[in-house]
Amino acid sequence: KNQVEQSPQSLIILEGKNCTLQCNYTVSPFSNLRWYKQDTGRGPVSLTIMTFSENTKSNGRYTATLDADTKQSSLHITASQLSDSASYICVVSPNDYKLSFGAGTTVTVRA
Amino acid sequence: EAGVAQSPRYKIIEKRQSVAFWCNPISGHATLYWYQQILGQGPKLLIQFQNNGVVDDSQLPKDRFSAERLKGVDSTLKIQPAKLEDSAVYLCASSFRGTGRVTDTQYFGPGTRLTVL
């Protein structure tokens, strides 16, 4: 059973618009949560890492939030650009040594 | 700094054939990971090396998959014989310490896309 669920599976937005991606997890215990960006044909690249004590973390136009009580995280993309077209993967660590990957959300930004 | 290198980038084989992938991690990174990413899914860890020792290979199908990391640097992943369901992207990643802790970021290579016909 996949312990990290992401939604939506895919979305299309117009350049300049904002969007929010969701990540729900059942991984327990919880150590940290990461968001990765994976461009087509490339390996994933880390965007943010949050521990249970952090509610929000930003990386440029990317802002991740975490609610450890409800086991939910979101990734908000502000003023989207064509280069934001990619798959965004949520990764949860139950401890310091394991990672559980979500299936990803594919974002397509159109001019 | 140079990133994680993988080759080949693409490979097409017929079922029951064998195939090998190569990975050169970032210089100085102690830990190396091989992942299998099936289309539409997140990466699945196949094997994790710490230097040249295996830390975790619990999800490696050992009847057909093998991996080695000689001298604690480069690594090869082999599939023999390949099955249709092995069609996927095989990602190699490395991290400096590889403890999986918050401070250990994994750096991924571009992957090898395998198609089994």
Coordinates of all heavy atoms in Angstrom, one line a residue, chain B residues 3-84:
Chain B
G3 N 27.7 16.3 -11.8 CA 26.6 15.6 -11.2 C 26.8 14.1 -11.3 O 27.9 13.6 -11.7
V4 N 25.8 13.4 -11.0 CA 25.8 12.0 -11.1 C 25.6 11.6 -12.6 O 24.7 12.1 -13.3 CB 24.6 11.3 -10.3 CG1 24.6 9.8 -10.5 CG2 24.7 11.7 -8.9
A5 N 26.5 10.7 -13.1 CA 26.5 10.3 -14.5 C 26.0 8.9 -14.6 O 26.3 8.1 -13.8 CB 28.0 10.4 -15.0
Q6 N 25.2 8.7 -15.6 CA 24.6 7.4 -15.9 C 24.8 7.1 -17.4 O 24.6 8.0 -18.2 CB 23.2 7.3 -15.5 CG 22.9 7.3 -14.0 CD 21.5 7.1 -13.7 OE1 20.7 7.9 -13.2 NE2 21.0 5.8 -13.9
S7 N 24.9 5.8 -17.7 CA 24.9 5.4 -19.1 C 24.5 4.0 -19.2 O 24.7 3.2 -18.2 CB 26.3 5.6 -19.7 OG 27.2 4.7 -19.1
P8 N 23.9 3.6 -20.3 CA 23.4 4.5 -21.4 C 22.2 5.3 -21.0 O 21.7 5.0 -19.9 CB 23.1 3.5 -22.5 CG 22.6 2.3 -21.8 CD 23.4 2.2 -20.5
R9 N 21.8 6.2 -21.7 CA 20.6 7.0 -21.4 C 19.3 6.2 -21.9 O 18.3 6.3 -21.2 CB 20.6 8.3 -22.1 CG 21.7 9.3 -21.6 CD 21.4 9.7 -20.1 NE 20.0 10.1 -19.9 CZ 19.6 11.3 -20.1 NH1 20.3 12.2 -20.6 NH2 18.3 11.6 -19.9
Y10 N 19.5 5.4 -22.9 CA 18.3 4.6 -23.4 C 18.8 3.3 -23.8 O 20.0 3.1 -24.3 CB 17.7 5.3 -24.6 CG 17.3 6.7 -24.4 CD1 18.1 7.8 -24.7 CD2 16.0 7.0 -23.9 CE1 17.8 9.1 -24.5 CE2 15.6 8.3 -23.7 CZ 16.5 9.4 -23.9 OH 16.1 10.7 -23.7
K11 N 17.9 2.3 -23.6 CA 18.3 0.9 -24.0 C 17.0 0.1 -24.3 O 16.0 0.2 -23.6 CB 19.0 0.2 -22.8 CG 19.6 -1.2 -23.2 CD 20.8 -1.0 -24.0 CE 21.5 -2.4 -24.3 NZ 22.7 -2.2 -25.2
I12 N 17.0 -0.5 -25.5 CA 15.9 -1.3 -25.9 C 16.4 -2.8 -26.1 O 17.4 -3.0 -26.8 CB 15.3 -0.8 -27.2 CG1 14.8 0.6 -27.0 CG2 14.1 -1.7 -27.6 CD1 14.3 1.2 -28.3
I13 N 15.8 -3.7 -25.4 CA 16.2 -5.1 -25.5 C 14.9 -6.0 -25.6 O 13.8 -5.5 -25.3 CB 17.0 -5.6 -24.3 CG1 16.2 -5.5 -23.0 CG2 18.3 -4.8 -24.2 CD1 16.9 -6.1 -21.8
E14 N 15.2 -7.2 -26.0 CA 14.0 -8.2 -26.0 C 14.0 -8.9 -24.7 O 15.1 -9.1 -24.0 CB 14.2 -9.1 -27.2 CG 14.1 -8.4 -28.5 CD 14.0 -9.3 -29.7 OE1 14.3 -10.5 -29.5 OE2 13.7 -8.9 -30.8
K15 N 12.9 -9.4 -24.3 CA 12.7 -10.2 -23.1 C 13.7 -11.4 -23.1 O 14.0 -11.9 -24.1 CB 11.3 -10.6 -22.8 CG 10.7 -11.5 -23.9 CD 9.2 -11.8 -23.5 CE 8.6 -12.7 -24.6 NZ 7.2 -13.0 -24.4
R16 N 14.1 -11.7 -21.9 CA 15.1 -12.8 -21.7 C 16.5 -12.4 -22.0 O 17.4 -13.2 -21.7 CB 14.7 -14.1 -22.4 CG 13.5 -14.7 -21.9 CD 13.2 -16.1 -22.5 NE 12.8 -16.0 -23.9 CZ 11.6 -15.8 -24.3 NH1 10.6 -15.8 -23.4 NH2 11.2 -15.7 -25.6
Q17 N 16.7 -11.2 -22.6 CA 18.1 -10.7 -22.8 C 18.6 -10.1 -21.5 O 17.9 -9.9 -20.5 CB 18.2 -9.7 -23.9 CG 18.0 -10.3 -25.3 CD 18.3 -9.3 -26.4 OE1 17.9 -8.1 -26.3 NE2 18.9 -9.7 -27.5
S18 N 19.9 -9.9 -21.4 CA 20.5 -9.3 -20.3 C 20.9 -7.8 -20.6 O 21.1 -7.5 -21.8 CB 21.7 -10.0 -19.8 OG 22.7 -10.0 -20.8
V19 N 21.0 -7.0 -19.6 CA 21.4 -5.6 -19.7 C 22.1 -5.1 -18.5 O 21.9 -5.6 -17.4 CB 20.1 -4.7 -20.0 CG1 19.2 -4.8 -18.8 CG2 20.5 -3.3 -20.4
A20 N 23.0 -4.1 -18.7 CA 23.7 -3.5 -17.6 C 23.7 -2.0 -17.7 O 23.8 -1.5 -18.8 CB 25.1 -4.1 -17.6
F21 N 23.6 -1.4 -16.5 CA 23.6 0.0 -16.4 C 24.8 0.5 -15.5 O 25.1 -0.2 -14.6 CB 22.3 0.6 -15.8 CG 21.1 0.0 -16.3 CD1 20.1 -0.6 -15.5 CD2 20.8 0.0 -17.7 CE1 18.9 -1.1 -16.0 CE2 19.7 -0.6 -18.2 CZ 18.7 -1.1 -17.4
W22 N 25.3 1.6 -15.9 CA 26.5 2.1 -15.1 C 26.2 3.5 -14.5 O 25.5 4.3 -15.0 CB 27.7 2.2 -16.1 CG 28.9 2.9 -15.5 CD1 29.9 2.3 -14.8 CD2 29.3 4.2 -15.7 NE1 30.8 3.2 -14.5 CE2 30.5 4.4 -15.0 CE3 28.7 5.3 -16.4 CZ2 31.2 5.6 -15.0 CZ3 29.4 6.6 -16.3 CH2 30.6 6.7 -15.6
C23 N 26.8 3.7 -13.3 CA 26.6 4.9 -12.6 C 27.9 5.4 -12.0 O 28.6 4.6 -11.3 CB 25.5 4.7 -11.5 SG 25.4 6.2 -10.4
N24 N 28.2 6.7 -12.2 CA 29.3 7.3 -11.5 C 28.8 8.4 -10.6 O 28.3 9.4 -11.1 CB 30.3 7.9 -12.6 CG 31.5 8.4 -12.0 OD1 31.8 8.3 -10.8 ND2 32.4 9.1 -12.8
P25 N 28.9 8.2 -9.3 CA 28.3 9.2 -8.4 C 29.2 10.5 -8.3 O 30.2 10.5 -8.9 CB 28.3 8.5 -7.1 CG 29.5 7.6 -7.2 CD 29.5 7.1 -8.6
I26 N 28.6 11.5 -7.6 CA 29.4 12.7 -7.3 C 30.6 12.3 -6.5 O 30.5 11.5 -5.6 CB 28.5 13.7 -6.6 CG1 27.4 14.2 -7.6 CG2 29.4 14.9 -6.2 CD1 26.4 15.1 -6.9
S27 N 31.8 12.9 -6.9 CA 33.0 12.6 -6.2 C 32.9 12.8 -4.7 O 32.4 13.9 -4.2 CB 34.1 13.4 -6.8 OG 35.4 13.2 -6.1
G28 N 33.3 11.8 -3.9 CA 33.3 12.0 -2.4 C 32.0 11.5 -1.8 O 32.0 11.5 -0.5
H29 N 31.0 11.2 -2.6 CA 29.7 10.8 -2.0 C 29.9 9.3 -1.5 O 30.2 8.4 -2.3 CB 28.6 11.0 -2.9 CG 28.1 12.4 -3.0 ND1 26.8 12.7 -3.5 CD2 28.6 13.5 -2.6 CE1 26.7 14.0 -3.4 NE2 27.7 14.5 -2.8
A30 N 29.6 9.1 -0.3 CA 29.8 7.7 0.3 C 28.6 6.8 -0.1 O 28.8 5.6 -0.2 CB 29.9 7.8 1.8
T31 N 27.4 7.3 -0.3 CA 26.3 6.4 -0.5 C 25.7 6.5 -1.9 O 25.6 7.6 -2.5 CB 25.2 6.8 0.5 OG1 25.7 6.7 1.8 CG2 24.0 5.8 0.4
L32 N 25.4 5.4 -2.4 CA 24.9 5.3 -3.8 C 23.6 4.5 -3.8 O 23.5 3.5 -3.1 CB 25.9 4.6 -4.7 CG 25.6 4.6 -6.2 CD1 26.9 4.7 -7.0 CD2 24.8 3.3 -6.6
Y33 N 22.6 5.0 -4.5 CA 21.3 4.3 -4.6 C 20.9 4.0 -6.0 O 21.2 4.8 -6.9 CB 20.2 5.3 -4.0 CG 20.5 6.0 -2.7 CD1 21.3 7.1 -2.6 CD2 19.9 5.5 -1.5 CE1 21.5 7.7 -1.4 CE2 20.1 6.2 -0.3 CZ 20.9 7.3 -0.3 OH 21.1 7.9 0.9
W34 N 20.2 2.9 -6.2 CA 19.6 2.6 -7.5 C 18.1 2.5 -7.2 O 17.6 1.9 -6.3 CB 20.1 1.2 -8.0 CG 21.4 1.2 -8.7 CD1 22.6 0.8 -8.1 CD2 21.7 1.7 -10.0 NE1 23.6 0.9 -9.1 CE2 23.1 1.4 -10.2 CE3 21.0 2.2 -11.0 CZ2 23.7 1.8 -11.4 CZ3 21.6 2.5 -12.2 CH2 23.0 2.3 -12.4
Y35 N 17.4 3.2 -8.1 CA 15.9 3.3 -8.0 C 15.3 2.8 -9.4 O 15.9 3.0 -10.4 CB 15.4 4.7 -7.8 CG 15.6 5.3 -6.5 CD1 16.8 6.0 -6.2 CD2 14.7 5.1 -5.4 CE1 17.0 6.5 -4.9 CE2 14.9 5.7 -4.2 CZ 16.1 6.4 -3.9 OH 16.3 7.0 -2.7
Q36 N 14.2 2.2 -9.3 CA 13.4 1.8 -10.5 C 12.1 2.7 -10.5 O 11.4 2.8 -9.5 CB 12.9 0.4 -10.4 CG 12.1 -0.1 -11.6 CD 11.5 -1.4 -11.4 OE1 10.7 -1.6 -10.4 NE2 11.8 -2.4 -12.3
Q37 N 11.9 3.4 -11.6 CA 10.8 4.3 -11.7 C 9.9 3.9 -12.9 O 10.3 4.1 -14.0 CB 11.1 5.8 -11.8 CG 10.0 6.7 -11.8 CD 10.4 8.2 -11.8 OE1 11.4 8.6 -12.2 NE2 9.5 9.1 -11.2
I38 N 8.8 3.2 -12.6 CA 7.9 2.8 -13.6 C 7.0 4.0 -14.0 O 6.7 4.9 -13.2 CB 7.0 1.6 -13.2 CG1 7.9 0.4 -13.0 CG2 5.9 1.3 -14.1 CD1 7.2 -0.8 -12.3
L39 N 6.7 4.1 -15.3 CA 5.9 5.3 -15.8 C 4.7 5.5 -14.9 O 3.9 4.6 -14.7 CB 5.5 5.0 -17.2 CG 4.8 6.2 -18.0 CD1 5.8 7.3 -18.1 CD2 4.3 5.7 -19.3
G40 N 4.6 6.8 -14.5 CA 3.4 7.2 -13.7 C 3.5 6.9 -12.2 O 2.6 7.1 -11.5
Q41 N 4.7 6.4 -11.8 CA 4.9 6.1 -10.4 C 6.1 6.8 -9.9 O 7.0 7.3 -10.6 CB 5.1 4.5 -10.2 CG 3.9 3.7 -10.6 CD 4.1 2.2 -10.4 OE1 5.0 1.8 -9.6 NE2 3.3 1.4 -11.1
G42 N 6.2 6.9 -8.5 CA 7.4 7.4 -7.9 C 8.5 6.4 -7.9 O 8.3 5.2 -8.2
P43 N 9.8 6.8 -7.7 CA 10.9 5.9 -7.7 C 10.8 4.9 -6.6 O 10.2 5.2 -5.5 CB 12.1 6.8 -7.4 CG 11.6 8.2 -7.9 CD 10.2 8.2 -7.6
K44 N 11.2 3.7 -6.8 CA 11.3 2.6 -5.8 C 12.7 2.2 -5.6 O 13.4 1.9 -6.6 CB 10.4 1.4 -6.3 CG 10.4 0.3 -5.2 CD 9.7 -1.0 -5.7 CE 10.6 -1.8 -6.6 NZ 9.9 -3.1 -7.0
L45 N 13.2 2.2 -4.4 CA 14.5 1.9 -4.1 C 14.8 0.4 -4.3 O 14.1 -0.4 -3.9 CB 14.9 2.2 -2.6 CG 16.3 1.9 -2.1 CD1 17.3 2.8 -2.8 CD2 16.4 2.0 -0.6
L46 N 15.8 0.2 -5.1 CA 16.2 -1.2 -5.4 C 17.4 -1.6 -4.4 O 17.3 -2.7 -3.8 CB 16.7 -1.4 -6.8 CG 15.6 -1.2 -7.9 CD1 16.3 -1.3 -9.3 CD2 14.6 -2.3 -7.7
I47 N 18.4 -0.8 -4.3 CA 19.5 -1.1 -3.5 C 20.2 0.2 -3.1 O 20.2 1.1 -3.8 CB 20.5 -2.1 -4.3 CG1 21.6 -2.6 -3.3 CG2 21.1 -1.4 -5.5 CD1 22.4 -3.8 -3.9
Q48 N 20.8 0.1 -1.9 CA 21.6 1.2 -1.3 C 22.9 0.7 -0.9 O 23.0 -0.3 -0.1 CB 20.8 1.8 -0.1 CG 21.6 2.9 0.6 CD 20.9 3.5 1.8 OE1 19.7 3.2 2.0 NE2 21.5 4.2 2.6
F49 N 24.0 1.4 -1.4 CA 25.3 1.1 -1.0 C 25.9 2.2 0.0 O 25.6 3.3 -0.3 CB 26.3 1.0 -2.2 CG 26.0 -0.1 -3.1 CD1 25.2 0.0 -4.2 CD2 26.6 -1.4 -2.9 CE1 25.1 -1.0 -5.1 CE2 26.4 -2.4 -3.8 CZ 25.6 -2.3 -4.9
Q50 N 26.6 1.8 1.0 CA 27.4 2.7 1.8 C 28.8 2.3 1.5 O 29.3 1.3 1.9 CB 27.0 2.6 3.3 CG 27.8 3.5 4.2 CD 27.2 4.9 4.2 OE1 26.1 5.2 3.6 NE2 27.8 5.9 4.8
N51 N 29.5 3.2 0.8 CA 30.9 2.9 0.3 C 30.7 1.6 -0.6 O 29.9 1.7 -1.5 CB 31.9 2.7 1.4 CG 32.1 4.0 2.1 OD1 32.3 5.0 1.5 ND2 31.9 4.0 3.4
N52 N 31.3 0.5 -0.4 CA 31.1 -0.6 -1.2 C 30.3 -1.7 -0.6 O 30.2 -2.9 -1.1 CB 32.5 -1.2 -1.7 CG 33.4 -1.6 -0.6 OD1 33.1 -1.3 0.5 ND2 34.5 -2.3 -0.9
G53 N 29.7 -1.4 0.6 CA 28.9 -2.4 1.3 C 27.4 -2.1 1.0 O 27.0 -1.0 0.9
V54 N 26.6 -3.2 1.0 CA 25.2 -3.1 0.8 C 24.5 -2.7 2.1 O 24.6 -3.5 3.1 CB 24.6 -4.4 0.2 CG1 23.1 -4.3 0.1 CG2 25.2 -4.6 -1.2
V55 N 23.7 -1.6 2.1 CA 22.9 -1.2 3.3 C 21.5 -1.8 3.3 O 21.0 -2.3 4.3 CB 22.9 0.3 3.4 CG1 22.0 0.7 4.6 CG2 24.3 0.9 3.6
D56 N 20.9 -1.7 2.1 CA 19.5 -2.2 1.9 C 19.3 -2.7 0.5 O 19.5 -2.0 -0.4 CB 18.6 -1.0 2.2 CG 17.1 -1.4 2.2 OD1 16.8 -2.6 1.8 OD2 16.2 -0.5 2.5
D57 N 18.9 -3.9 0.4 CA 18.6 -4.5 -0.9 C 17.3 -5.3 -0.8 O 17.1 -6.3 -1.5 CB 19.7 -5.3 -1.5 CG 20.0 -6.6 -0.7 OD1 19.4 -6.7 0.4 OD2 20.9 -7.4 -1.1
S58 N 16.4 -4.9 0.2 CA 15.2 -5.7 0.4 C 14.2 -5.7 -0.7 O 13.4 -6.6 -0.8 CB 14.6 -5.1 1.7 OG 14.3 -3.7 1.5
Q59 N 14.3 -4.7 -1.6 CA 13.3 -4.7 -2.7 C 14.0 -5.0 -4.1 O 13.4 -4.8 -5.1 CB 12.7 -3.3 -2.8 CG 11.9 -2.9 -1.5 CD 11.0 -1.7 -1.8 OE1 9.9 -1.8 -2.2 NE2 11.5 -0.6 -1.4
L60 N 15.2 -5.5 -4.0 CA 15.9 -6.0 -5.2 C 15.4 -7.4 -5.6 O 15.6 -8.3 -4.8 CB 17.4 -5.9 -5.0 CG 18.2 -6.2 -6.2 CD1 18.2 -5.0 -7.2 CD2 19.7 -6.5 -5.8
P61 N 14.9 -7.6 -6.8 CA 14.5 -9.0 -7.2 C 15.8 -9.8 -7.5 O 16.3 -9.8 -8.6 CB 13.7 -8.7 -8.5 CG 13.3 -7.3 -8.5 CD 14.5 -6.6 -7.8
K62 N 16.3 -10.4 -6.5 CA 17.6 -11.0 -6.6 C 17.7 -12.2 -7.5 O 18.9 -12.6 -7.9 CB 18.1 -11.4 -5.2 CG 18.2 -10.2 -4.2 CD 18.6 -10.7 -2.8 CE 18.6 -9.6 -1.8 NZ 17.3 -9.0 -1.6
D63 N 16.6 -12.7 -8.0 CA 16.7 -13.8 -8.9 C 17.1 -13.3 -10.3 O 17.6 -14.1 -11.1 CB 15.3 -14.5 -9.0 CG 14.2 -13.6 -9.4 OD1 14.3 -12.4 -9.2 OD2 13.2 -14.1 -10.0
R64 N 16.9 -12.0 -10.5 CA 17.3 -11.5 -11.9 C 18.1 -10.2 -11.8 O 18.8 -9.9 -12.8 CB 16.0 -11.3 -12.7 CG 15.2 -12.5 -12.9 CD 14.0 -12.2 -13.8 NE 13.1 -11.2 -13.3 CZ 13.0 -10.0 -13.7 NH1 13.8 -9.6 -14.7 NH2 12.2 -9.1 -13.1
F65 N 18.1 -9.5 -10.7 CA 18.8 -8.3 -10.6 C 20.0 -8.5 -9.8 O 20.0 -9.2 -8.7 CB 17.9 -7.2 -10.0 CG 16.8 -6.6 -10.8 CD1 15.8 -7.4 -11.3 CD2 16.9 -5.3 -11.2 CE1 14.8 -6.9 -12.1 CE2 15.9 -4.7 -12.0 CZ 14.8 -5.5 -12.4
S66 N 21.1 -7.8 -10.1 CA 22.3 -7.8 -9.3 C 23.0 -6.4 -9.4 O 22.8 -5.7 -10.4 CB 23.3 -8.9 -9.7 OG 23.8 -8.7 -11.0
A67 N 23.7 -6.1 -8.4 CA 24.4 -4.8 -8.4 C 25.7 -4.9 -7.7 O 25.8 -5.7 -6.7 CB 23.5 -3.7 -7.8
E68 N 26.6 -4.1 -8.1 CA 27.9 -4.1 -7.4 C 28.5 -2.7 -7.4 O 28.2 -1.9 -8.3 CB 28.9 -5.1 -7.9 CG 29.2 -4.8 -9.4 CD 30.2 -5.9 -9.9 OE1 30.5 -6.9 -9.2 OE2 30.7 -5.7 -11.1
R69 N 29.3 -2.4 -6.4 CA 29.9 -1.1 -6.3 C 31.4 -1.4 -5.9 O 31.7 -1.3 -4.7 CB 29.3 -0.2 -5.3 CG 29.8 1.3 -5.4 CD 29.2 2.2 -4.3 NE 29.6 3.5 -4.5 CZ 29.5 4.5 -3.6 NH1 29.0 4.2 -2.4 NH2 30.0 5.7 -3.8
L70 N 32.2 -1.7 -6.9 CA 33.6 -2.0 -6.6 C 34.3 -0.7 -6.2 O 34.1 0.4 -6.8 CB 34.2 -2.6 -7.9 CG 33.5 -3.9 -8.3 CD1 34.2 -4.4 -9.6 CD2 33.6 -5.0 -7.2
K71 N 35.2 -0.9 -5.2 CA 36.1 0.2 -4.8 C 35.3 1.4 -4.2 O 35.8 2.5 -4.0 CB 37.0 0.7 -5.9 CG 37.9 -0.4 -6.4 CD 38.8 0.1 -7.5 CE 39.7 -1.0 -8.1 NZ 40.6 -0.5 -9.2
G72 N 34.0 1.2 -4.0 CA 33.2 2.2 -3.4 C 32.9 3.5 -4.2 O 32.6 4.5 -3.7
V73 N 33.1 3.4 -5.5 CA 32.9 4.5 -6.4 C 31.8 4.2 -7.4 O 30.6 4.3 -7.1 CB 34.2 5.0 -7.1 CG1 33.9 6.2 -7.9 CG2 35.3 5.2 -6.0
D74 N 32.2 3.8 -8.6 CA 31.2 3.5 -9.6 C 30.4 2.2 -9.3 O 30.8 1.4 -8.5 CB 31.9 3.2 -11.0 CG 32.6 4.4 -11.5 OD1 32.6 5.4 -10.9 OD2 33.2 4.3 -12.6
S75 N 29.2 2.2 -9.9 CA 28.3 1.0 -9.7 C 27.7 0.5 -11.0 O 27.5 1.3 -11.9 CB 27.2 1.4 -8.7 OG 26.3 0.3 -8.5
T76 N 27.4 -0.7 -11.0 CA 26.7 -1.3 -12.2 C 25.5 -2.1 -11.6 O 25.5 -2.7 -10.6 CB 27.5 -2.2 -13.0 OG1 28.1 -3.3 -12.1 CG2 28.7 -1.5 -13.7
L77 N 24.4 -2.0 -12.4 CA 23.2 -2.7 -12.1 C 22.9 -3.6 -13.3 O 22.9 -3.1 -14.4 CB 22.0 -1.7 -11.9 CG 20.6 -2.3 -11.6 CD1 20.6 -3.1 -10.3 CD2 19.5 -1.3 -11.7
K78 N 22.7 -4.9 -13.0 CA 22.5 -5.8 -14.1 C 21.1 -6.5 -14.0 O 20.7 -6.8 -12.9 CB 23.6 -6.9 -14.1 CG 25.0 -6.3 -14.4 CD 26.0 -7.4 -14.4 CE 27.4 -6.8 -14.6 NZ 28.5 -7.9 -14.6
I79 N 20.5 -6.8 -15.1 CA 19.2 -7.5 -15.1 C 19.5 -8.7 -16.1 O 19.9 -8.5 -17.2 CB 18.1 -6.7 -15.7 CG1 17.9 -5.4 -14.9 CG2 16.8 -7.5 -15.6 CD1 16.9 -4.4 -15.4
Q80 N 19.2 -9.9 -15.6 CA 19.4 -11.1 -16.4 C 18.6 -12.3 -15.8 O 18.8 -12.7 -14.7 CB 20.9 -11.5 -16.4 CG 21.2 -12.7 -17.3 CD 22.7 -13.1 -17.3 OE1 23.5 -12.5 -16.5 NE2 23.1 -14.0 -18.1
P81 N 17.6 -12.7 -16.6 CA 17.1 -12.2 -17.8 C 16.0 -11.2 -17.6 O 15.3 -11.1 -16.6 CB 16.4 -13.5 -18.5 CG 15.9 -14.2 -17.3 CD 16.9 -13.9 -16.1
A82 N 15.8 -10.3 -18.6 CA 14.9 -9.2 -18.5 C 13.5 -9.7 -18.8 O 13.3 -10.6 -19.6 CB 15.2 -8.0 -19.4
K83 N 12.5 -9.1 -18.1 CA 11.1 -9.3 -18.3 C 10.4 -8.0 -18.8 O 10.9 -6.9 -18.6 CB 10.4 -9.8 -17.0 CG 10.9 -11.2 -16.6 CD 10.0 -11.6 -15.3 CE 10.4 -13.0 -14.9 NZ 9.6 -13.4 -13.7
L84 N 9.2 -8.2 -19.4 CA 8.5 -7.0 -19.9 C 8.3 -6.0 -18.8 O 8.4 -4.8 -19.1 CB 7.2 -7.5 -20.5 CG 7.2 -8.4 -21.7 CD1 5.8 -8.8 -22.1 CD2 8.0 -7.7 -22.9

